[in-house]
Amino acid sequence: MQALVIAAHGSHLNPDASDPTYAHADTVRETGAFDEVREAFWKEEPHFREVIRTLESDEVFVVPLFISEGYFTEQVIPRELRLEEWDPEKWDSDGTSASQVTLEAEDVGKTIHYCGPVGTHDAMTDVIVQRAESVTGDPDVGDGVGLAVVGHGTERNENSAKAIEYHTERIREMDRFDEAKALFMDEEPEVDDVTDYFETEDIVVVPLFIADGYHTQEDIPEDMGLTEDYRLGWDVPSDVDGHRIWYAGAVGTEGLMADVILERAADAGADIGDAVESVREAASLETGADPEPSAEPGD
Amino acid sequence: MTATPASVEALLETVDDGAVAFDGFRVERAADDYALETPDEEWTGLAADDLADALEPLSDYVTNWRYWQRSVGGEGTARRAFLRWCERAPLEVEEVGDEETDAYPSVDDPLSVPERYDALRDGLDREWGQLCITARLVDDADDDPAGERVYDLWHVDDAGSDLADLEVYDDPRDAREIATYDGDGRYRPLKTAPTLPSGWAFTGLSGGELVETVEFFYPATVANWHRELRGTLDVDHWTKTAERQTGIYDVLDEMPREGVEWMAEACCVDSQCLRRREWEFDEDDELDVDGGDGPFPCREPCSLVVAAARKWTILESEQERTYELELTASEYNQLAELIDAVAEGRTDEIREADVNDGANRYRARYLRAKRFDEEGNLEAKRIDD
Ligand code: SF4
């Protein structure tokens, strides 16, 4: 038997924070690739501390639903899962290349395949592109369009910026969009000045965040000048300084994220059959069928 | 009701591979005949043809064996133990730890197979926190295999309600949504807070689905209950939990001991949480506050308590000061009433015109108008030593 645990942050204050985790877990459940699928959280229940003991499977794949390697993936999750032998060195990562390490959870004696975060997996690049497709409603979006990947950015965790830059570079190499830029909330180049960085009239802005919340639904839209007050909402696209901004909201809510979770587990040795194909198929149907023309805060 | 051929056939096949012994029922194969035993009766020297006939009136034992050994399976798992608990079957729990357990809230008066079948025909109710679980035999007697159980689940407050008046679900995942908000639509970050809303029912769940649904309502409670039963519940006391913290929670080990007492009294009592606090200040240093009578063991401070403890640790690092403020005796009492009303979550219940209650909104607004200054602060003078 094999189990999948999706490890996410969650919130004591905002019930929506865990929605993407539940949605992706359900998508994976429906593929039937795992005997058991569990959501686990730092701020909600089941907590990281207790999740492994709720499983009957002996092989457990833990995929952190986080954007970057750093405090949560390197310290908090392994510690709370009681992965005694854990050491960040075992990932042998340059900040974006963690794949997996196999350890034992001390309290339950099960084999844990502890995977790198979803945010740094190569498949995440496709999710960002898919997000651009779904927000514009155009499966061929790219020509004449600039793409901004937005991250938190912080002095404290250099890996956070690395993940953003990593995907931006990969998108640039695809040669699909006229321009691709990494922008940040807390460091240069800043998302506030998004229009300064693009020649193209159309700019798709995709925040590399797991869940929609304060940053993606309040800060970023206001900072970019999409709206005076987030409570009033904004149009997609919105006109700002002669550009059309297609603001996508958190990439983590994109259906294709389930695919990244599966890829992480498969890289760690999980037997997932054709689950990836079925998720991809479902995600592309979703995009073709119903593009979202506008976003309301709190959606 | 007779045992369906399928159940009997499966049993016969198993007996040919070795004895069947389950829940007081025993079938054994000797050289060329069979022995059969229930708690009330015994047969020996049964020829193969006679065995099937002898089993016919024992269909409850046969289907009971089939349900547990074939449908449920999972010997030694928490899931199986929980389902056994649901129908008051003997728990088959092997105590592996060295700690004596009082096996709470386990097998109060285990029932024999015939007793259980009688009860299951009417539906057998159990309470798990604010959940009421009914185990029953599948309604449709033509269903093969017979003896299959299904489970219904609702709020204890709805036990007397008509199903037609409840929102009916059959997908365990719907429990996530129900458990997210309380009756007033407020977010419930603590799943074991005694604020689960009522008005819903899950019907016809399989055993696996029931456990999944219960896990969405009360995560990890089944696993920890099972560990407690077996004497392997691993408790992390306050100091251990506090020392483990990093980042912004690194300060937790500076929380004074009495602060931990106040915190347990504030958060971990029955009125606030259905878990029974098993963690203490330290392994041989018990807190004075009682852990409560909650049905589920709490094995370490939860994330909500850890987050609140950070705030209290910071607040407790402040120095005490002396303030001088002008209040009438009634106003002084009113402050106490206000704090109490908020702490008990009573403010919503205070009637608009009940000015006798110190926590009445108009009384509070009057006090604010009278005693607060222009900046909205309580007028008081700090007297430094
Ligand atoms: S720490 Fe206290 S409030 Fe938290 S789950 Fe345990 S008993 Fe309940």
Side-chain angles (χ1 to χ4, degrees):
Chain A
M1 279 177 87
Q2 58 175 13
L4 175 72
V5 170
I6 304 176
H9 192 282
S11 164
H12 291 151
L13 298 172
N14 173 12
D16 305 330
S18 47
D19 287 353
T21 315
Y22 290 140
H24 305 320
D26 287 347
T27 305
V28 175
R29 277 187 182 101
E30 271 146 31
T31 68
F34 291 87
D35 301 292
E36 299 169 284
V37 177
R38 283 277 189 290
E39 306 88 342
F41 302 96
W42 171 233
K43 296 280 194 170
E44 294 178 37
E45 297 166 88
H47 192 265
F48 299 152
R49 270 319 261 176
E50 307 204 296
V51 67
I52 306 287
R53 65 185 51 199
T54 70
L55 300 166
E56 288 182 19
S57 308
D58 285 323
E59 293 276 320
V60 182
F61 296 83
V62 177
V63 177
L65 198 60
F66 283 81
I67 290 300
S68 54
E69 293 171 30
Y71 178 59
F72 280 101
T73 57
E74 290 182 354
Q75 287 191 46
V76 176
I77 301 173
R79 178 187 79 217
E80 300 292 300
L81 293 177
R82 300 176 181 73
L83 305 178
E84 282 290 282
E85 303 292 310
W86 165 255
D87 182 332
E89 294 293 308
K90 296 204 172 180
W91 260 351
D92 189 23
S93 171
D94 63 6
T96 56
S97 61
S99 172
Q100 77 103 25
V101 50
T102 300
L103 300 152
E104 182 159 304
E106 176 217 14
D107 60 323
V108 286
K110 290 183 194 286
T111 304
I112 311 293
H113 303 276
Y114 182 50
C115 303
V118 288
T120 55
H121 194 278
D122 282 357
M124 192 69 190
T125 312
D126 300 337
V127 185
I128 297 170
V129 173
Q130 171 112 32
R131 193 85 188 130
E133 291 174 12
S134 45
V135 72
T136 55
D138 176 4
D140 302 314
V141 63
D143 211 10
V145 174
L147 179 70
V149 184
V150 182
H152 201 287
T154 160
E155 311 293 297
R156 278 185 301 140
N157 178 6
E158 53 165 340
N159 287 343
S160 144
K162 274 188 193 167
I164 315 294
E165 273 150 8
Y166 180 72
H167 293 297
T168 308
E169 186 52 41
R170 283 171 51 86
I171 290 168
R172 209 172 281 139
E173 281 164 12
M174 285 176 178
D175 243 353
R176 171 169 175 163
F177 295 87
D178 282 14
E179 300 166 77
K181 291 266 154 45
L183 301 178
F184 301 96
M185 296 182 62
D186 281 4
E187 61 185 65
E188 297 280 324
E190 286 195 17
V191 67
D192 306 33
D193 314 317
V194 56
T195 51
D196 295 353
Y197 295 102
F198 288 89
E199 307 268 310
T200 55
E201 190 184 330
D202 285 285
I203 309 170
V204 177
V205 178
V206 180
L208 203 55
F209 284 79
I210 292 296
D212 270 320
Y214 174 67
H215 291 312
T216 63
Q217 295 292 309
E218 301 179 22
D219 265 11
I220 299 178
E222 285 184 11
D223 288 353
M224 288 194 301
L226 299 186
T227 177
E228 291 274 297
D229 181 337
Y230 73 91
R231 281 166 295 198
L232 301 172
W234 55 88
D235 292 328
V236 178
S238 284
D239 289 323
V240 177
D241 300 335
H243 293 264
R244 285 202 298 177
I245 309 261
W246 303 78
Y247 180 61
V251 70
T253 61
E254 187 68 32
L256 197 55
M257 280 291 287
D259 168 57
V260 188
I261 295 169
L262 283 164
E263 301 261 9
R264 272 282 181 231
D267 292 349
D271 175 9
I272 59 166
D274 56 5
V276 166
E277 289 71 38
S278 69
V279 167
R280 291 197 164 215
E281 210 165 285
S284 68
L285 290 178
E286 216 174 88
T287 318
D290 184 27
E292 283 171 55
S294 74
E296 291 295 327
D299 267 5
Chain B
M1 199 167 91
T2 56
T4 66
S7 295
V8 174
E9 241 164 65
L11 182 84
L12 295 178
E13 271 169 34
T14 311
V15 172
D16 280 338
D17 294 337
V20 163
F22 188 71
D23 273 356
F25 171 63
R26 202 178 157 81
V27 190
E28 212 171 321
R29 192 196 163 120
D32 22 54
D33 54 21
Y34 295 87
L36 177 61
E37 192 186 319
T38 70
D40 309 314
E41 285 175 286
E42 224 184 291
W43 297 262
T44 50
L46 284 172
D49 289 350
D50 300 334
L51 178 62
D53 290 342
L55 286 173
E56 215 181 276
L58 302 176
S59 67
D60 289 355
Y61 283 101
V62 177
T63 62
N64 180 64
W65 165 83
R66 210 208 64 84
Y67 178 66
W68 288 107
Q69 301 303 77
R70 293 296 157 89
S71 292
V72 176
E75 221 149 311
T77 61
R79 168 176 59 92
R80 181 183 174 97
F82 181 75
L83 294 175
R84 302 269 303 167
W85 174 85
C86 282
E87 64 177 62
R88 290 173 53 191
L91 275 195
E92 347 166 282
V93 167
E94 195 190 313
E95 289 191 22
V96 286
D98 19 75
E99 269 185 45
E100 288 261 320
T101 58
D102 45 8
Y104 180 93
S106 66
V107 249
D108 21 356
D109 315 317
L111 303 179
S112 70
V113 172
E115 286 172 326
R116 259 148 61 202
Y117 267 68
D118 274 350
L120 285 168
R121 283 185 186 106
D122 298 337
L124 203 163
D125 288 348
R126 296 291 252 165
E127 281 187 18
W128 189 256
Q130 289 185 287
L131 302 178
C132 178
I133 298 162
T134 304
R136 55 183 172 88
L137 293 172
V138 176
D139 289 325
D140 188 353
D142 295 335
D143 264 5
D144 195 27
E148 207 64 8
R149 275 71 152 163
V150 285
Y151 303 86
D152 308 322
L153 178 68
W154 49 73
H155 195 288
V156 284
D157 292 350
D158 289 329
S161 299
D162 205 323
L163 211 56
D165 297 331
L166 305 175
E167 194 83 38
V168 177
Y169 301 91
D170 60 9
D171 184 339
R173 292 179 239 165
D174 290 324
R176 284 190 311 223
E177 191 69 21
I178 298 169
T180 301
Y181 302 94
D182 67 14
D184 296 325
R186 280 177 306 204
Y187 178 39
R188 300 172 66 242
L190 182 67
K191 290 281 205 319
T192 46
T195 54
L196 191 67
S198 54
W200 48 267
F202 287 80
T203 55
L205 299 173
S206 70
E209 288 169 341
L210 172 75
V211 176
E212 214 183 319
T213 311
V214 168
E215 279 287 298
F216 280 130
F217 279 116
Y218 296 135
T221 52
V222 173
N224 284 324
W225 162 82
H226 188 232
R227 279 178 168 254
E228 185 175 49
L229 275 180
R230 301 200 303 164
T232 55
L233 185 71
D234 45 346
V235 176
D236 274 7
H237 298 287
W238 171 258
T239 47
K240 224 164 136 192
T241 306
E243 281 161 14
R244 198 178 66 229
Q245 307 300 319
T246 53
I248 59 167
Y249 297 104
D250 197 23
V251 296
L252 247 63
D253 52 2
E254 291 161 35
M255 176 115 163
R257 193 188 181 293
E258 53 186 355
V260 179
E261 292 274 2
W262 296 323
M263 180 177 76
E265 187 178 332
C267 306
C268 304
V269 293
D270 290 346
S271 67
Q272 306 300 308
C273 180
L274 296 172
R275 283 201 174 98
R276 170 173 25 95
R277 182 178 54 74
E278 289 293 321
W279 55 268
E280 302 291 347
F281 187 73
D282 212 340
E283 198 172 337
D284 349 275
D285 186 357
E286 289 195 10
L287 295 174
D288 289 338
V289 191
D290 188 69
D293 297 318
F296 326 120
C298 172
R299 46 165 308 282
E300 71 178 53
C302 65
S303 75
L304 203 69
V305 156
V306 163
R310 172 173 179 259
K311 187 75 192 169
W312 286 316
T313 306
I314 295 165
L315 295 182
E316 286 297 339
S317 70
E318 286 178 35
Q319 236 184 6
E320 291 196 344
R321 309 252 184 223
T322 308
Y323 293 88
E324 190 178 271
L325 68 165
E326 300 275 316
L327 293 174
T328 66
S330 296
E331 285 167 351
Y332 173 80
N333 291 336
Q334 194 188 341
L335 282 184
E337 282 184 66
L338 277 165
I339 292 170
D340 188 63
V342 172
E344 290 302 321
R346 200 168 57 81
T347 51
D348 282 352
E349 296 157 25
I350 300 167
R351 284 165 298 170
E352 197 82 358
D354 186 4
V355 288
N356 288 324
D357 195 314
N360 169 273
R361 194 171 77 246
Y362 293 128
R363 286 275 304 273
R365 291 178 64 84
Y366 185 94
L367 186 70
R368 183 175 68 175
K370 179 175 174 186
R371 295 298 182 187
F372 281 27
D373 64 19
E374 316 275 82
E375 271 97 58
N377 297 315
L378 182 60
E379 276 180 74
K381 199 158 81 201
R382 202 174 96 191
I383 306 177
D384 284 328
D385 328 318

